[in-house]
């Protein structure tokens, strides 16, 4: 990630490689340590699922095996209960959706939890628990129609055609 950032800032490649090598030798760049810290903070703070954490680490350039090992370690060390974490973030989000109708709350809460990386079965269960089952059919609203723009200009008999009409009339 640091390499990409420096190259994106158009730093010379040879200097970037030298700096990365020095940081690695000094022990300042360690993917495993970074992955553990990142997973711990995002799982406990943001309530991200194990699946989402794996994706986030991959986006940051951490190898899959290093990320998996870090996640295993973090989830074994910390008292992280994914179901409780999902319920916590769902309740927090639901508080923001309070004024919406039930189908809209269900849809938005489900989408929020999907973006957090949770399993669909778990999402349906928690949404049913927190919002309740949607027993009313979803009402389809009629699309709003555009307001009329006013009267359209009509051709007047005997009037001279505009410039566009003249250019097409002369070309035939």
């Amino acid at each position: 990630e640091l390499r990409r950032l420096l190259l994106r800032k158009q730093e010379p490649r040879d200097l970037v490689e030298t700096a990365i090598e020095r940081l690695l030798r000094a022990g300042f760049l360690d993917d495993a340590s970074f992955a553990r810290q990142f997973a711990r903070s995002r799982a406990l703070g943001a309530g991200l699922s194990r699946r989402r954490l794996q994706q986030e680490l991959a986006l940051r350039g951490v190898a899959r095996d290093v990320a998996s090992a870090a996640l295993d370690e973090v989830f074994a060390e910390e008292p992280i209960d994914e179901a409780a974490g999902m319920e916590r973030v769902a309740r927090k989000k639901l508080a923001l959706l309070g004024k919406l109708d039930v189908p809209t709350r269900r849809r938005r809460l489900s989408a929020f939890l999907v973006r957090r990386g949770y399993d669909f079965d778990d999402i349906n269960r928690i949404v049913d628990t927190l919002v309740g089952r949607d027993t009313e059919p979803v009402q389809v609203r009629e699309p709003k129609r555009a307001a009329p723009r006013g009267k359209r200009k009509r051709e007047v008999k005997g009037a001279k055609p505009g410039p566009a009409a003249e250019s097409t009339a002369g070309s035939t």
Side-chain angles (χ1 to χ4, degrees):
E1 187 173 0
L2 180 60
R3 179 179 284 116
R4 277 183 283 184
L5 176 71
L6 291 172
L7 291 174
R8 193 175 323 132
K9 289 187 173 202
Q10 299 179 351
E11 296 294 334
R13 182 174 290 278
D14 58 335
L15 292 178
V16 169
E17 294 302 326
T18 304
I20 296 290
E21 287 175 25
R22 288 179 65 192
L23 290 169
L24 284 171
R25 278 194 308 263
F28 292 122
L29 291 181
D30 181 9
D31 280 352
S33 175
F34 168 75
R36 284 190 303 274
Q37 289 177 322
F38 181 84
R40 185 173 285 114
S41 70
R42 299 291 293 227
L44 294 172
L48 296 183
S49 70
R50 187 182 188 95
R51 179 185 308 146
R52 174 72 185 271
L53 289 168
Q54 183 83 34
Q55 291 171 346
E56 294 275 333
L57 288 169
L59 287 174
R60 285 166 173 73
V62 177
R64 178 178 293 253
D65 58 332
V66 173
S68 293
L71 290 171
D72 289 342
E73 187 177 326
V74 167
F75 277 78
E77 288 176 0
E78 297 291 332
I80 298 172
D81 180 8
E82 278 194 82
M86 179 174 67
E87 185 173 347
R88 179 177 50 84
V89 295
R91 285 184 186 280
K92 187 174 178 181
K93 180 67 174 177
L94 192 59
L96 299 173
L97 303 174
K99 294 182 181 181
L100 299 172
D101 60 356
V102 172
T104 303
R105 277 190 294 180
R106 288 182 61 81
R107 185 180 67 246
R108 289 190 184 176
L109 182 59
S110 295
F112 172 77
L113 293 171
V114 165
R115 287 189 302 272
R116 291 274 187 266
Y118 291 105
D119 186 54
F120 290 113
D121 293 333
D122 295 336
I123 291 171
N124 288 331
R125 183 182 43 76
I126 199 76
V127 169
D128 287 346
T129 301
L130 296 180
V131 181
R133 289 199 175 268
D134 188 17
T135 56
E136 301 172 7
V138 177
Q139 296 177 357
V140 179
R141 295 185 216 160
E142 289 294 320
K144 292 183 179 179
R145 299 184 188 259
R149 294 189 202 175
K151 295 181 181 178
R152 293 183 181 224
K153 294 181 181 179
R154 296 183 184 181
E155 291 184 27
V156 179
K157 289 184 181 179
K160 289 185 177 180
E166 289 175 4
S167 64
T168 58
S171 63
T172 54

